[in-house]
Amino acid sequence: MNLHASLPPIDAERAELPVHVDLSACASIQEVRDAAQPHIAAHLHTVGGVLLRTRAIDSIQAFEALVAAFSNDLMTYDFGSTPRSQLSGKVYTSTEYPAEQTIAMHNEMAYTTRWPSRIWFYCDQAPEQGGETPVADSRAIYRRVDPAIRQRFERDGLLYVRNYSAELDVPWQKTFNTERHADVEAYCRQAGIEFEWRGEQLKTWQRCQASLRHPLTDEQVWFNQAHVFHISNLEEPYREAMRAMFSEDELPRNVLFGDGSPIEDAMLDEIRHVIDSEKRLFTWRKGDVLMLDNVLTAHGRESFQGARRIAVAMA
């Protein structure tokens, strides 16, 4: 399957994503909040993201205080899919993958039925080179995905399958932030996640959406992580090694259509092409704060050189 020729051209005249706001004159957290509020109100649910360039947010604690000034319902990182460390309260590191790796574009926690509506990033240390957090409009992605693929995904939904392993993926203790089987089981029952214990090994299944209507704007968006969880997302040597080590049912993570049938690699390659075509980059500066509508806007990470620390909070 090769549908690249059918993709419509990118609209070069659309609004910048994210909208850049210069708040360098602000001297305090309160001044940043007050100055940023009208820009967020005007652009967050239209463009999908606002980048605040400020010198007043100069620490993890200042970032946490700023986010708390906007949101009193910050989330813990439960049922996460990537390694992170808690920095302060409900502020975490961004995904701790090696610097040479990229992180595919995604909407945060779109592999489950509970996700943050807003996600915040703070640049505590900008890398020497690379390390951008690319963003993409999930509405545009939805429109550009081939209608036949879109219809199949929406009709059947998605089934995410995870086999937790400390050696090859995030262990269940880290994913659920507990050492107790009973806590895991209670979370899964409440969230509609099927589970099975095999001694200390845990397997989960969850049926999820392929797309959404935004609760405020009523716009349709592409909202899933099939292209991330599927084994075809791995580079070929790792993919073949995984298939040699595990049966399809035992892979550390995988995704199927909601009826349990496999998703063709070609479909996911086509989706990745669309998502990458919508990707937009900006260069981090120390003190930058990025606020995204997590339903309207996908994000990722470019590879980098030098030390990099980006903090994340979700609401």
Side-chain angles (χ1 to χ4, degrees), residues 182-196:
D183 294 340
V184 173
E185 293 168 11
Y187 183 96
C188 289
R189 290 190 184 100
Q190 186 180 35
I193 301 168
E194 298 178 69
F195 63 90
E196 178 184 20

Side-chain angles (χ1 to χ4, degrees), residues 206-221:
Q206 189 174 32
R207 288 170 175 80
C208 299
Q209 69 293 316
S211 66
L212 287 178
R213 282 198 177 275
H214 192 281
L216 296 179
T217 70
D218 200 41
E219 296 168 290
Q220 199 76 22
V221 301

Side-chain angles (χ1 to χ4, degrees), residues 60-278:
I60 299 296
Q61 291 70 32
F63 170 63
E64 184 176 26
L66 177 67
V67 174
F70 281 100
S71 303
N72 59 8
D73 58 346
L74 296 185
M75 296 173 57
T76 55
Y77 190 57
D78 295 324
F79 199 50
S81 67
T82 57
R84 299 174 188 253
S85 299
Q86 186 178 23
L87 293 174
S88 175
K90 295 178 181 178
V91 175
Y92 301 85
T93 58
S94 58
T95 296
E96 297 171 358
Y97 280 171
E100 67 273 13
Q101 294 184 10
T102 60
I103 297 175
M105 303 291 293
H106 62 282
N107 302 81
E108 195 66 34
M109 303 190 78
Y111 56 86
T112 183
T113 57
R114 299 178 174 183
W115 53 80
S117 60
R118 295 181 178 187
I119 184 166
W120 298 76
F121 299 87
Y122 164 64
C123 181
D124 190 47
Q125 183 172 8
E128 295 172 11
Q129 183 175 335
E132 297 92 346
T133 297
V135 292
D137 187 332
S138 297
R139 297 162 293 191
I141 294 167
Y142 180 86
R143 291 191 297 267
R144 295 185 65 196
V145 169
D146 181 82
I149 296 176
R150 196 169 62 208
Q151 183 179 29
R152 178 73 189 278
F153 270 64
E154 292 182 319
R155 184 191 71 195
D156 294 339
L158 297 167
L159 179 66
Y160 293 92
V161 184
R162 298 175 69 176
N163 290 283
Y164 300 84
S165 166
E167 290 77 24
L168 294 172
D169 209 333
V170 184
W172 64 262
Q173 294 90 339
K174 184 78 170 176
T175 300
F176 292 93
N177 296 315
T178 183
E179 299 283 337
R180 289 164 36 90
H181 287 206
D183 294 340
V184 173
E185 293 168 11
Y187 183 96
C188 289
R189 290 190 184 100
Q190 186 180 35
I193 301 168
E194 298 178 69
F195 63 90
E196 178 184 20
W197 292 102
R198 300 171 181 174
E200 280 299 308
Q201 299 300 310
L202 174 67
K203 181 175 184 176
T204 62
W205 305 260
Q206 189 174 32
R207 288 170 175 80
C208 299
Q209 69 293 316
S211 66
L212 287 178
R213 282 198 177 275
H214 192 281
L216 296 179
T217 70
D218 200 41
E219 296 168 290
Q220 199 76 22
V221 301
W222 191 251
F223 196 82
N224 65 75
Q225 287 194 25
H227 64 292
V228 179
F229 270 69
H230 196 266
I231 191 171
S232 63
N233 190 48
L234 296 175
E235 294 180 9
E236 188 169 354
Y238 298 106
R239 186 187 320 166
E240 296 311 311
M242 283 290 185
R243 284 186 163 138
M245 293 169 63
F246 302 104
S247 67
E248 290 288 318
D249 190 52
E250 296 172 331
L251 288 167
R253 61 176 70 189
N254 201 6
V255 61
L256 308 166
F257 284 119
D259 62 2
S261 59
I263 305 174
E264 296 174 27
D265 290 6
M267 285 187 175
L268 293 160
D269 288 342
E270 195 62 36
I271 290 166
R272 293 185 189 103
H273 171 76
V274 171
I275 293 172
D276 287 344
S277 297
E278 288 295 325

